[in-house]
Amino acid sequence: MNPFERFANRIKNWWTGTPSNTGGVRSINSTSFLESLGLGKKRKPTSEVTYFTCLKMLSETLAKMPIKYYQKTEKGTVAAEQTETSKLLTRRPNPFMTPTVFWNTVEINRNHYGNAYVYMRKKFVRKKYGGELRILDLWVMQSSCVQIVVDDAGIFAGVGRLWYVYTDPTSGKRYVFGTDEVMHFKTSFSFDGITGVPVQQILRDTVSGASASQEFMNNMYESGLTAKATLEYTGELNEGAKEALRKSFEEFGSGAKNVGKILPVPLGMKLTPLDIKLTDSQFFELKKYTALQIAAAFGVKPNQINDYSKSSYANSELQQLSFYVDTELYVIKQYEEEINYKMLTEDEQDEGYFYKFNEKVLFRTDSKTQMEYLKAGVSGTIMKPNEARGRIDLPDAEGGDELYANGNIVPLTMAGVAYTKQTETATVEPEQPEEDEPDDNEPDTTEPEETNNEESEESEEGGEE
Protein backbone atom coordinates (compact mmCIF):
# COMPACT_ATOMS: atom_id res chain seq x y z
CA MET A 1 0.00 0.00 0.00
CA ASN A 2 1.50 3.32 -1.09
CA PRO A 3 1.54 6.35 1.26
CA PHE A 4 -1.32 8.03 -0.59
CA GLU A 5 -3.65 5.02 -0.13
CA ARG A 6 -2.65 4.77 3.52
CA PHE A 7 -3.39 8.45 4.05
CA ALA A 8 -6.72 8.14 2.23
CA ASN A 9 -7.72 5.19 4.41
CA ARG A 10 -6.87 7.14 7.55
CA ILE A 11 -9.08 10.02 6.43
CA LYS A 12 -11.90 7.59 5.57
CA ASN A 13 -11.66 5.77 8.91
CA TRP A 14 -11.57 9.06 10.79
CA TRP A 15 -14.66 10.32 8.93
CA THR A 16 -16.70 7.14 9.39
CA GLY A 17 -15.42 6.46 12.91
CA THR A 18 -14.04 3.06 11.93
CA PRO A 19 -11.39 1.73 14.34
CA SER A 20 -8.05 1.38 12.60
CA ASN A 21 -4.63 0.04 13.55
CA THR A 22 -1.73 2.19 12.47
CA GLY A 23 1.23 0.02 13.39
CA GLY A 24 3.00 1.36 16.45
CA VAL A 25 0.84 4.49 16.60
CA ARG A 26 -2.46 3.94 18.40
CA SER A 27 -5.36 6.30 17.80
CA ILE A 28 -8.32 6.75 20.12
CA ASN A 29 -10.43 4.58 17.77
CA SER A 30 -7.86 1.82 17.29
CA THR A 31 -8.75 -1.67 18.46
CA SER A 32 -5.58 -2.09 20.52
CA PHE A 33 -6.20 1.15 22.42
CA LEU A 34 -9.82 0.18 23.24
CA GLU A 35 -8.78 -3.31 24.32
CA SER A 36 -6.11 -1.88 26.61
CA LEU A 37 -8.83 0.09 28.38
CA GLY A 38 -11.04 -2.99 28.63
CA LEU A 39 -13.65 -1.55 26.30
CA GLY A 40 -13.28 -3.74 23.23
CA LYS A 41 -15.30 -3.43 20.07
CA LYS A 42 -18.94 -2.53 20.61
CA ARG A 43 -21.41 -4.78 18.86
CA LYS A 44 -24.66 -3.46 17.48
CA PRO A 45 -27.78 -5.27 18.77
CA THR A 46 -29.37 -5.12 15.33
CA SER A 47 -26.54 -7.27 13.96
CA GLU A 48 -27.92 -10.20 15.97
CA VAL A 49 -30.40 -12.04 13.77
CA THR A 50 -32.96 -12.88 16.48
CA TYR A 51 -33.04 -9.31 17.75
CA PHE A 52 -33.44 -7.99 14.22
CA THR A 53 -36.19 -10.55 13.45
CA CYS A 54 -38.17 -9.52 16.54
CA LEU A 55 -37.92 -5.82 15.61
CA LYS A 56 -39.01 -6.62 12.08
CA MET A 57 -41.93 -8.80 13.21
CA LEU A 58 -43.34 -6.27 15.69
CA SER A 59 -42.94 -3.23 13.44
CA GLU A 60 -44.46 -4.89 10.38
CA THR A 61 -47.35 -6.31 12.39
CA LEU A 62 -48.40 -2.86 13.56
CA ALA A 63 -47.79 -1.25 10.17
CA LYS A 64 -50.00 -3.70 8.29
CA MET A 65 -53.07 -2.79 10.37
CA PRO A 66 -54.90 0.23 8.88
CA ILE A 67 -56.45 2.85 11.15
CA LYS A 68 -60.21 3.41 10.84
CA TYR A 69 -62.22 6.47 11.86
CA TYR A 70 -65.52 5.68 13.63
CA GLN A 71 -68.31 7.35 15.58
CA LYS A 72 -70.53 5.95 18.31
CA THR A 73 -74.17 6.85 17.65
CA GLU A 74 -77.56 5.84 19.03
CA LYS A 75 -77.77 3.20 16.31
CA GLY A 76 -74.33 1.81 17.11
CA THR A 77 -70.81 2.32 15.77
CA VAL A 78 -70.65 3.62 12.20
CA ALA A 79 -67.85 4.74 9.88
CA ALA A 80 -67.42 8.49 10.35
CA GLU A 81 -66.97 11.00 7.57
CA GLN A 82 -63.31 11.75 6.90
CA THR A 83 -61.84 15.02 8.16
CA GLU A 84 -58.58 16.80 7.38
CA THR A 85 -57.06 15.36 10.55
CA SER A 86 -58.25 11.79 10.01
CA LYS A 87 -56.81 11.82 6.49
CA LEU A 88 -53.35 12.20 8.01
CA LEU A 89 -53.67 8.77 9.64
CA THR A 90 -55.49 7.00 6.84
CA ARG A 91 -53.84 8.54 3.75
CA ARG A 92 -50.61 10.50 4.30
CA PRO A 93 -49.07 11.56 7.64
CA ASN A 94 -46.52 13.79 5.89
CA PRO A 95 -45.34 14.39 2.31
CA PHE A 96 -42.55 11.80 2.59
CA MET A 97 -44.21 8.83 4.31
CA THR A 98 -47.14 6.55 3.73
CA PRO A 99 -49.09 5.34 6.79
CA THR A 100 -47.37 1.94 6.53
CA VAL A 101 -43.85 3.38 6.53
CA PHE A 102 -44.82 5.90 9.20
CA TRP A 103 -46.08 3.39 11.77
CA ASN A 104 -43.31 0.94 10.92
CA THR A 105 -40.74 3.63 11.80
CA VAL A 106 -42.56 4.56 15.01
CA GLU A 107 -42.71 0.96 16.20
CA ILE A 108 -39.03 0.31 15.45
CA ASN A 109 -38.04 3.34 17.54
CA ARG A 110 -40.34 2.25 20.35
CA ASN A 111 -38.90 -1.26 20.59
CA HIS A 112 -35.26 -0.38 19.97
CA TYR A 113 -34.98 2.75 22.13
CA GLY A 114 -37.88 2.10 24.51
CA ASN A 115 -39.73 5.26 23.45
CA ALA A 116 -41.16 6.66 20.21
CA TYR A 117 -42.13 10.30 19.61
CA VAL A 118 -44.38 11.82 16.95
CA TYR A 119 -44.45 15.59 16.51
CA MET A 120 -47.80 17.07 15.48
CA ARG A 121 -47.25 20.31 13.57
CA LYS A 122 -50.23 22.54 14.25
CA LYS A 123 -51.56 25.82 12.89
CA PHE A 124 -54.19 28.16 14.28
CA VAL A 125 -56.97 28.61 11.71
CA ARG A 126 -58.97 31.80 12.21
CA LYS A 127 -62.70 31.81 11.76
CA LYS A 128 -65.38 34.45 11.89
CA TYR A 129 -65.77 33.90 15.62
CA GLY A 130 -62.52 32.69 17.17
CA GLY A 131 -60.69 29.79 15.54
CA GLU A 132 -59.23 26.33 16.08
CA LEU A 133 -55.89 24.51 16.13
CA ARG A 134 -55.54 22.21 13.16
CA ILE A 135 -52.92 19.47 12.78
CA LEU A 136 -51.10 19.95 9.48
CA ASP A 137 -48.86 16.86 9.43
CA LEU A 138 -47.13 14.25 11.58
CA TRP A 139 -43.37 13.71 11.89
CA VAL A 140 -41.37 10.93 13.53
CA MET A 141 -38.64 12.23 15.84
CA GLN A 142 -35.56 10.05 16.24
CA SER A 143 -35.74 8.68 19.74
CA SER A 144 -32.00 9.00 20.29
CA CYS A 145 -32.30 12.78 19.71
CA VAL A 146 -35.15 13.40 22.19
CA GLN A 147 -34.73 14.24 25.85
CA ILE A 148 -37.64 14.40 28.30
CA VAL A 149 -37.45 17.29 30.77
CA VAL A 150 -39.70 17.82 33.80
CA ASP A 151 -39.93 21.54 34.57
CA ASP A 152 -40.03 21.54 38.37
CA ALA A 153 -38.88 25.17 38.61
CA GLY A 154 -41.23 26.77 36.07
CA ILE A 155 -38.45 27.75 33.67
CA PHE A 156 -40.47 27.22 30.50
CA ALA A 157 -44.06 27.75 31.63
CA GLY A 158 -45.90 26.07 34.45
CA VAL A 159 -44.34 24.15 37.30
CA GLY A 160 -44.35 20.37 36.97
CA ARG A 161 -45.06 20.25 33.26
CA LEU A 162 -43.40 17.80 30.89
CA TRP A 163 -41.39 18.99 27.88
CA TYR A 164 -39.70 17.22 24.98
CA VAL A 165 -36.35 18.66 23.89
CA TYR A 166 -35.46 17.57 20.35
CA THR A 167 -32.04 18.14 18.75
CA ASP A 168 -32.06 18.01 14.97
CA PRO A 169 -29.24 15.60 13.97
CA THR A 170 -28.65 17.40 10.65
CA SER A 171 -28.68 21.07 11.64
CA GLY A 172 -27.98 20.80 15.37
CA LYS A 173 -30.90 23.09 16.23
CA ARG A 174 -32.78 22.43 19.45
CA TYR A 175 -36.57 22.55 19.73
CA VAL A 176 -38.80 22.37 22.80
CA PHE A 177 -42.28 20.88 22.48
CA GLY A 178 -45.10 20.51 24.99
CA THR A 179 -47.05 17.35 25.72
CA ASP A 180 -49.96 18.53 23.56
CA GLU A 181 -47.64 18.62 20.53
CA VAL A 182 -46.02 15.19 20.89
CA MET A 183 -47.51 11.70 20.88
CA HIS A 184 -45.37 9.50 23.14
CA PHE A 185 -45.41 5.70 22.81
CA LYS A 186 -43.38 3.60 25.23
CA THR A 187 -42.64 -0.04 25.97
CA SER A 188 -44.52 -2.01 28.61
CA PHE A 189 -41.48 -1.97 30.91
CA SER A 190 -41.35 1.35 32.75
CA PHE A 191 -40.43 2.30 36.31
CA ASP A 192 -41.91 5.82 36.33
CA GLY A 193 -44.70 5.55 33.76
CA ILE A 194 -43.13 8.34 31.70
CA THR A 195 -40.24 6.67 29.91
CA GLY A 196 -39.99 3.09 28.72
CA VAL A 197 -36.98 0.81 29.08
CA PRO A 198 -35.77 -0.82 25.84
CA VAL A 199 -35.42 -4.58 25.57
CA GLN A 200 -31.78 -4.27 24.49
CA GLN A 201 -30.97 -2.64 27.82
CA ILE A 202 -32.69 -5.37 29.80
CA LEU A 203 -31.10 -8.18 27.78
CA ARG A 204 -27.77 -6.46 27.19
CA ASP A 205 -25.66 -9.48 28.18
CA THR A 206 -27.91 -11.94 26.38
CA VAL A 207 -27.92 -9.98 23.13
CA SER A 208 -24.17 -9.37 23.41
CA GLY A 209 -23.57 -13.08 23.94
CA ALA A 210 -25.67 -13.95 20.91
CA SER A 211 -23.68 -11.45 18.82
CA ALA A 212 -20.40 -12.92 20.10
CA SER A 213 -21.50 -16.44 19.15
CA GLN A 214 -22.35 -15.24 15.65
CA GLU A 215 -18.96 -13.53 15.40
CA PHE A 216 -17.29 -16.78 16.48
CA MET A 217 -19.05 -18.66 13.70
CA ASN A 218 -18.04 -16.01 11.18
CA ASN A 219 -14.40 -16.33 12.21
CA MET A 220 -14.58 -20.08 11.82
CA TYR A 221 -16.00 -19.74 8.30
CA GLU A 222 -13.28 -17.24 7.42
CA SER A 223 -10.61 -19.66 8.65
CA GLY A 224 -12.07 -22.48 6.60
CA LEU A 225 -13.51 -24.26 9.65
CA THR A 226 -9.96 -25.15 10.73
CA ALA A 227 -9.21 -25.11 14.43
CA LYS A 228 -6.07 -23.85 16.13
CA ALA A 229 -3.01 -26.06 16.27
CA THR A 230 0.22 -26.44 18.27
CA LEU A 231 3.63 -26.72 16.62
CA GLU A 232 6.19 -28.91 18.41
CA TYR A 233 9.90 -28.45 17.64
CA THR A 234 13.24 -29.08 19.30
CA GLY A 235 15.56 -26.25 20.20
CA GLU A 236 15.26 -22.55 20.84
CA LEU A 237 14.17 -19.93 18.36
CA ASN A 238 14.36 -16.19 18.71
CA GLU A 239 11.30 -13.98 18.37
CA GLY A 240 11.94 -13.23 14.74
CA ALA A 241 12.29 -16.91 13.83
CA LYS A 242 9.13 -17.81 15.77
CA GLU A 243 7.12 -15.13 14.01
CA ALA A 244 8.44 -16.18 10.59
CA LEU A 245 7.66 -19.84 11.31
CA ARG A 246 4.14 -19.00 12.49
CA LYS A 247 3.40 -16.87 9.45
CA SER A 248 4.63 -19.60 7.09
CA PHE A 249 2.29 -22.18 8.63
CA GLU A 250 -0.64 -19.75 8.62
CA GLU A 251 0.01 -18.99 4.98
CA PHE A 252 -0.38 -22.65 4.03
CA GLY A 253 -2.83 -23.87 6.66
CA SER A 254 -5.36 -21.13 7.49
CA GLY A 255 -8.18 -19.62 5.50
CA ALA A 256 -10.91 -21.06 3.32
CA LYS A 257 -8.61 -21.05 0.26
CA ASN A 258 -6.30 -23.63 1.88
CA VAL A 259 -8.97 -26.16 2.82
CA GLY A 260 -8.02 -29.60 1.51
CA LYS A 261 -4.43 -28.63 0.64
CA ILE A 262 -1.35 -30.48 1.90
CA LEU A 263 0.50 -28.67 4.67
CA PRO A 264 4.33 -29.04 4.53
CA VAL A 265 5.93 -29.68 7.93
CA PRO A 266 9.71 -29.33 8.32
CA LEU A 267 11.76 -32.27 9.60
CA GLY A 268 11.82 -32.49 13.37
CA MET A 269 8.57 -30.57 13.83
CA LYS A 270 5.11 -31.88 14.65
CA LEU A 271 1.82 -30.06 14.04
CA THR A 272 -0.96 -31.11 16.42
CA PRO A 273 -4.43 -29.57 15.81
CA LEU A 274 -6.53 -28.61 18.79
CA ASP A 275 -9.70 -30.61 18.45
CA ILE A 276 -12.60 -28.23 19.27
CA LYS A 277 -16.02 -29.73 18.62
CA LEU A 278 -19.10 -27.56 18.70
CA THR A 279 -21.26 -30.56 19.56
CA ASP A 280 -19.29 -31.25 22.75
CA SER A 281 -19.82 -27.70 24.00
CA GLN A 282 -23.52 -27.79 22.96
CA PHE A 283 -22.91 -24.64 20.98
CA PHE A 284 -26.01 -24.86 18.81
CA GLU A 285 -28.29 -25.82 21.71
CA LEU A 286 -27.14 -22.78 23.69
CA LYS A 287 -27.48 -20.55 20.65
CA LYS A 288 -31.04 -21.77 20.12
CA TYR A 289 -31.90 -21.23 23.80
CA THR A 290 -30.52 -17.68 23.66
CA ALA A 291 -32.66 -16.95 20.60
CA LEU A 292 -35.79 -18.16 22.40
CA GLN A 293 -34.96 -15.93 25.39
CA ILE A 294 -34.65 -12.84 23.19
CA ALA A 295 -37.90 -13.66 21.39
CA ALA A 296 -39.73 -14.23 24.67
CA ALA A 297 -38.61 -10.81 25.94
CA PHE A 298 -40.20 -9.21 22.88
CA GLY A 299 -43.33 -11.37 23.12
CA VAL A 300 -42.60 -13.09 19.80
CA LYS A 301 -43.57 -16.74 19.44
CA PRO A 302 -41.02 -19.45 18.46
CA ASN A 303 -42.63 -20.13 15.08
CA GLN A 304 -42.20 -16.45 14.18
CA ILE A 305 -38.41 -16.76 14.47
CA ASN A 306 -38.46 -19.90 12.30
CA ASP A 307 -38.37 -22.37 15.19
CA TYR A 308 -40.83 -25.13 14.25
CA SER A 309 -39.36 -27.87 16.43
CA LYS A 310 -42.48 -28.01 18.60
CA SER A 311 -45.02 -26.56 16.20
CA SER A 312 -47.58 -27.97 13.83
CA TYR A 313 -50.02 -26.32 11.45
CA ALA A 314 -52.78 -26.13 14.07
CA ASN A 315 -50.33 -25.09 16.77
CA SER A 316 -48.98 -22.27 14.60
CA GLU A 317 -52.49 -20.89 14.19
CA LEU A 318 -53.00 -20.92 17.95
CA GLN A 319 -49.63 -19.24 18.43
CA GLN A 320 -50.70 -16.48 16.05
CA LEU A 321 -53.82 -15.89 18.16
CA SER A 322 -51.73 -15.98 21.32
CA PHE A 323 -49.31 -13.46 19.80
CA TYR A 324 -52.20 -11.07 19.19
CA VAL A 325 -53.70 -11.48 22.69
CA ASP A 326 -50.45 -11.58 24.70
CA THR A 327 -48.33 -9.09 22.73
CA GLU A 328 -50.12 -6.97 20.15
CA LEU A 329 -53.29 -6.25 22.13
CA TYR A 330 -51.36 -4.14 24.66
CA VAL A 331 -49.49 -2.31 21.91
CA ILE A 332 -52.65 -1.55 19.92
CA LYS A 333 -54.54 -0.36 23.00
CA GLN A 334 -51.70 2.00 23.96
CA TYR A 335 -51.52 3.47 20.47
CA GLU A 336 -55.29 3.98 20.25
CA GLU A 337 -55.45 5.68 23.65
CA GLU A 338 -52.63 8.10 22.81
CA ILE A 339 -53.97 8.89 19.33
CA ASN A 340 -57.55 9.47 20.49
CA TYR A 341 -56.41 11.72 23.34
CA LYS A 342 -53.90 13.81 21.39
CA MET A 343 -55.49 14.05 17.93
CA LEU A 344 -59.16 14.52 18.82
CA THR A 345 -60.64 17.61 20.41
CA GLU A 346 -62.83 17.37 23.49
CA ASP A 347 -65.93 18.11 21.40
CA GLU A 348 -65.09 15.30 18.99
CA GLN A 349 -64.52 12.90 21.86
CA ASP A 350 -67.86 13.88 23.44
CA GLU A 351 -69.60 13.30 20.12
CA GLY A 352 -68.29 9.73 20.02
CA TYR A 353 -65.52 9.97 17.43
CA PHE A 354 -62.54 7.66 17.82
CA TYR A 355 -59.71 5.94 15.91
CA LYS A 356 -59.25 2.19 15.90
CA PHE A 357 -56.74 -0.19 14.36
CA ASN A 358 -58.30 -2.87 12.17
CA GLU A 359 -56.81 -5.95 13.79
CA LYS A 360 -58.87 -8.31 11.60
CA VAL A 361 -56.18 -8.17 8.91
CA LEU A 362 -54.04 -10.36 11.19
CA PHE A 363 -56.51 -13.22 10.89
CA ARG A 364 -57.08 -13.42 7.15
CA THR A 365 -57.61 -17.04 6.17
CA ASP A 366 -58.02 -19.01 2.95
CA SER A 367 -60.90 -18.31 0.55
CA LYS A 368 -62.98 -21.30 1.63
CA THR A 369 -62.87 -20.43 5.33
CA GLN A 370 -63.54 -16.77 4.56
CA MET A 371 -66.63 -17.58 2.48
CA GLU A 372 -67.98 -19.83 5.22
CA TYR A 373 -67.45 -17.06 7.74
CA LEU A 374 -69.29 -14.49 5.60
CA LYS A 375 -72.11 -16.90 4.82
CA ALA A 376 -72.63 -17.62 8.50
CA GLY A 377 -72.61 -13.89 9.27
CA VAL A 378 -75.28 -13.08 6.68
CA SER A 379 -77.55 -16.01 7.48
CA GLY A 380 -77.16 -15.38 11.20
CA THR A 381 -78.44 -11.79 10.90
CA ILE A 382 -75.03 -10.44 11.98
CA MET A 383 -74.05 -8.58 8.82
CA LYS A 384 -75.78 -7.33 5.71
CA PRO A 385 -75.06 -8.91 2.32
CA ASN A 386 -73.39 -5.74 1.06
CA GLU A 387 -71.17 -5.66 4.15
CA ALA A 388 -70.07 -9.20 3.39
CA ARG A 389 -69.47 -8.32 -0.26
CA GLY A 390 -67.36 -5.37 0.81
CA ARG A 391 -65.09 -7.71 2.77
CA ILE A 392 -64.10 -9.47 -0.46
CA ASP A 393 -63.92 -6.25 -2.53
CA LEU A 394 -67.17 -6.75 -4.44
CA PRO A 395 -69.57 -3.89 -5.30
CA ASP A 396 -72.88 -3.43 -3.50
CA ALA A 397 -75.89 -5.27 -4.85
CA GLU A 398 -79.49 -4.05 -5.01
CA GLY A 399 -81.42 -5.02 -1.90
CA GLY A 400 -78.27 -5.94 -0.01
CA ASP A 401 -78.53 -3.24 2.64
CA GLU A 402 -81.02 -5.14 4.78
CA LEU A 403 -80.59 -7.89 7.33
CA TYR A 404 -81.95 -11.27 6.32
CA ALA A 405 -83.09 -13.89 8.81
CA ASN A 406 -84.27 -17.47 8.59
CA GLY A 407 -88.01 -17.83 9.24
CA ASN A 408 -87.37 -20.67 11.67
CA ILE A 409 -85.39 -18.35 13.95
CA VAL A 410 -87.43 -16.55 16.64
CA PRO A 411 -86.53 -14.67 19.83
CA LEU A 412 -85.93 -16.73 22.95
CA THR A 413 -89.11 -15.42 24.56
CA MET A 414 -91.15 -16.88 21.70
CA ALA A 415 -89.54 -20.32 21.74
CA GLY A 416 -92.15 -23.07 21.14
CA VAL A 417 -94.95 -20.70 20.08
CA ALA A 418 -95.24 -22.36 16.70
CA TYR A 419 -95.85 -25.78 18.26
CA THR A 420 -98.46 -24.35 20.70
CA LYS A 421 -100.47 -22.84 17.86
CA GLN A 422 -100.45 -26.12 15.95
CA THR A 423 -101.77 -28.02 19.00
CA GLU A 424 -104.59 -25.54 19.56
CA THR A 425 -105.60 -25.74 15.93
CA ALA A 426 -105.79 -29.53 16.08
CA THR A 427 -107.91 -29.78 19.32
CA VAL A 428 -110.42 -26.92 18.99
CA GLU A 429 -113.66 -27.86 17.10
CA PRO A 430 -115.00 -25.56 14.42
CA GLU A 431 -117.49 -23.01 15.71
CA GLN A 432 -121.24 -23.59 15.04
CA PRO A 433 -123.54 -20.78 13.93
CA GLU A 434 -125.69 -19.34 16.74
CA GLU A 435 -129.44 -20.11 16.74
CA ASP A 436 -130.41 -16.52 17.45
CA GLU A 437 -128.86 -15.35 14.23
CA PRO A 438 -130.33 -17.32 11.34
CA ASP A 439 -128.89 -16.93 7.96
CA ASP A 440 -130.85 -14.62 5.70
CA ASN A 441 -129.88 -16.52 2.58
CA GLU A 442 -131.29 -19.86 3.77
CA PRO A 443 -134.77 -19.69 5.32
CA ASP A 444 -135.25 -21.41 8.62
CA THR A 445 -138.17 -23.79 8.14
CA THR A 446 -137.85 -25.80 11.34
CA GLU A 447 -138.97 -23.38 14.01
CA PRO A 448 -141.88 -21.87 12.08
CA GLU A 449 -143.35 -25.33 11.50
CA GLU A 450 -143.25 -26.14 15.22
CA THR A 451 -144.85 -22.79 16.00
CA ASN A 452 -147.68 -23.36 13.53
CA ASN A 453 -148.44 -26.74 15.02
CA GLU A 454 -148.58 -25.36 18.54
CA GLU A 455 -150.88 -22.53 17.44
CA SER A 456 -153.24 -24.92 15.64
CA GLU A 457 -153.46 -27.17 18.70
CA GLU A 458 -154.28 -24.23 20.93
CA SER A 459 -156.96 -23.03 18.55
CA GLU A 460 -158.53 -26.46 18.47
CA GLU A 461 -158.62 -26.64 22.25
CA GLY A 462 -160.17 -23.20 22.41
CA GLY A 463 -162.83 -24.20 19.93
CA GLU A 464 -163.82 -27.14 22.05
CA GLU A 465 -164.27 -24.97 25.12
Side-chain angles (χ1 to χ4, degrees):
M1 182 181 293
N2 57 50
F4 296 101
E5 292 181 355
R6 189 180 300 110
F7 179 74
N9 288 334
R10 288 182 181 179
I11 296 296
K12 179 181 178 181
N13 293 335
W14 172 81
W15 179 260
T16 58
T18 304
S20 58
N21 292 325
T22 57
V25 180
R26 297 192 299 178
S27 64
I28 194 172
N29 290 327
S30 61
T31 305
S32 59
F33 177 74
L34 295 175
E35 289 179 352
S36 64
L37 296 178
L39 299 177
K41 183 179 179 181
K42 185 178 180 180
R43 303 182 181 91
K44 294 183 178 180
T46 52
S47 62
E48 209 285 314
V49 62
T50 306
Y51 185 87
F52 169 77
T53 304
C54 293
L55 287 181
K56 180 176 180 293
M57 174 63 62
L58 293 173
S59 60
E60 291 182 355
T61 300
L62 181 73
K64 71 177 63 172
M65 292 184 291
I67 295 182
K68 300 294 184 180
Y69 187 47
Y70 295 106
Q71 182 184 14
K72 292 182 179 179
T73 63
E74 296 179 354
K75 296 182 179 180
T77 303
V78 297
E81 185 178 355
Q82 291 286 342
T83 62
E84 294 296 330
T85 303
S86 65
K87 291 178 182 178
L88 296 176
L89 297 176
T90 58
R91 296 184 183 180
R92 201 83 175 178
N94 57 66
F96 306 107
M97 295 182 183
T98 62
T100 302
V101 176
F102 179 83
W103 292 115
N104 183 77
T105 307
V106 173
E107 184 67 1
I108 285 181
N109 277 272
R110 188 186 72 88
N111 288 292
H112 186 63
Y113 294 103
N115 300 272
Y117 310 94
V118 176
Y119 168 59
M120 301 178 292
R121 191 167 68 95
K122 299 181 179 181
K123 179 182 179 181
F124 184 78
V125 180
R126 295 184 178 276
K127 295 184 178 181
K128 186 175 181 180
Y129 300 101
E132 63 177 1
L133 279 174
R134 180 178 299 175
I135 301 176
L136 300 180
D137 40 35
L138 306 173
W139 298 92
V140 181
M141 297 190 295
Q142 298 183 23
S143 299
S144 57
C145 302
V146 179
Q147 183 181 5
I148 301 178
V149 177
V150 179
D151 187 10
D152 55 353
I155 298 176
F156 295 103
V159 180
R161 292 190 59 183
L162 200 67
W163 300 90
Y164 298 90
V165 181
Y166 174 67
T167 304
D168 194 338
T170 56
S171 62
K173 293 183 179 180
R174 182 168 294 181
Y175 304 90
V176 180
F177 304 116
T179 55
D180 57 340
E181 298 177 286
V182 177
M183 288 191 293
H184 183 186
F185 309 101
K186 58 185 73 69
T187 58
S188 59
F189 196 78
S190 176
F191 290 104
D192 54 8
I194 298 176
T195 58
V197 181
V199 176
Q200 62 166 321
Q201 181 177 342
I202 302 171
L203 301 179
R204 181 178 300 171
D205 295 337
T206 304
V207 176
S208 178
S211 300
S213 65
Q214 185 62 41
E215 185 178 355
F216 172 74
M217 289 296 300
N218 294 340
N219 294 333
M220 287 200 64
Y221 284 122
E222 291 176 358
S223 64
L225 298 178
T226 56
K228 296 181 179 180
T230 59
L231 181 63
E232 300 179 6
Y233 58 90
T234 303
E236 291 291 337
L237 297 177
N238 56 24
E239 294 297 330
K242 290 181 182 179
E243 187 67 18
L245 185 63
R246 183 185 63 82
K247 288 184 178 180
S248 63
F249 273 99
E250 288 181 350
E251 181 180 358
F252 290 98
S254 64
K257 61 181 180 179
N258 294 320
V259 175
K261 293 183 179 181
I262 298 176
L263 181 65
V265 181
L267 184 65
M269 297 185 180
K270 181 180 179 182
L271 186 66
T272 305
L274 298 177
D275 192 8
I276 301 177
K277 294 183 180 180
L278 298 179
T279 54
D280 294 341
S281 60
Q282 294 183 340
F283 176 81
F284 294 104
E285 287 78 2
L286 293 175
K287 185 176 178 64
K288 180 180 178 181
Y289 177 71
T290 302
L292 291 176
Q293 283 184 317
I294 297 175
F298 278 102
V300 176
K301 302 303 175 183
N303 67 316
Q304 294 174 325
I305 57 172
N306 300 324
D307 183 4
Y308 297 97
S309 58
K310 297 181 180 180
S311 299
S312 60
Y313 178 79
N315 191 19
S316 298
E317 187 176 359
L318 292 177
Q319 287 183 0
Q320 178 68 14
L321 179 61
S322 177
F323 170 71
Y324 166 73
V325 176
D326 300 336
T327 305
E328 283 300 314
L329 191 58
Y330 171 84
V331 178
I332 295 172
K333 188 172 182 291
Q334 181 197 175
Y335 272 88
E336 290 176 349
E337 291 173 348
E338 186 74 3
I339 293 172
N340 290 325
Y341 180 75
K342 294 290 182 66
M343 295 196 64
L344 293 176
T345 63
E346 293 185 2
D347 294 338
E348 290 175 337
Q349 296 179 25
D350 295 338
E351 293 175 1
Y353 291 97
F354 66 96
Y355 294 97
K356 186 179 184 300
F357 281 93
N358 184 15
E359 75 283 354
K360 296 182 179 61
V361 298
L362 302 179
F363 305 100
R364 288 183 177 178
T365 57
D366 57 284
S367 300
K368 180 180 178 181
T369 306
Q370 188 177 14
M371 292 303 295
E372 293 177 352
Y373 160 76
L374 296 176
K375 180 181 178 181
V378 174
S379 61
T381 326
I382 298 176
M383 63 174 60
K384 301 175 184 178
N386 283 341
E387 293 175 344
R389 293 173 63 87
R391 296 287 183 89
I392 53 178
D393 300 327
L394 292 178
D396 294 345
E398 185 178 356
D401 292 327
E402 297 180 358
L403 291 175
Y404 291 88
N406 193 336
N408 296 329
I409 302 176
V410 295
L412 183 62
T413 56
M414 298 178 61
V417 173
Y419 301 100
T420 305
K421 289 184 177 181
Q422 292 179 2
T423 305
E424 292 178 354
T425 305
T427 55
V428 176
E429 297 180 355
E431 296 181 357
Q432 299 294 333
E434 297 181 359
E435 297 180 356
D436 298 339
E437 298 179 357
D439 192 357
D440 297 338
N441 297 331
E442 296 180 1
D444 191 0
T445 56
T446 305
E447 292 183 356
E449 291 179 354
E450 295 178 354
T451 307
N452 295 335
N453 294 333
E454 292 177 358
E455 292 178 355
S456 60
E457 291 178 356
E458 291 178 356
S459 59
E460 291 177 356
E461 294 177 355
E464 292 178 357
E465 292 178 355

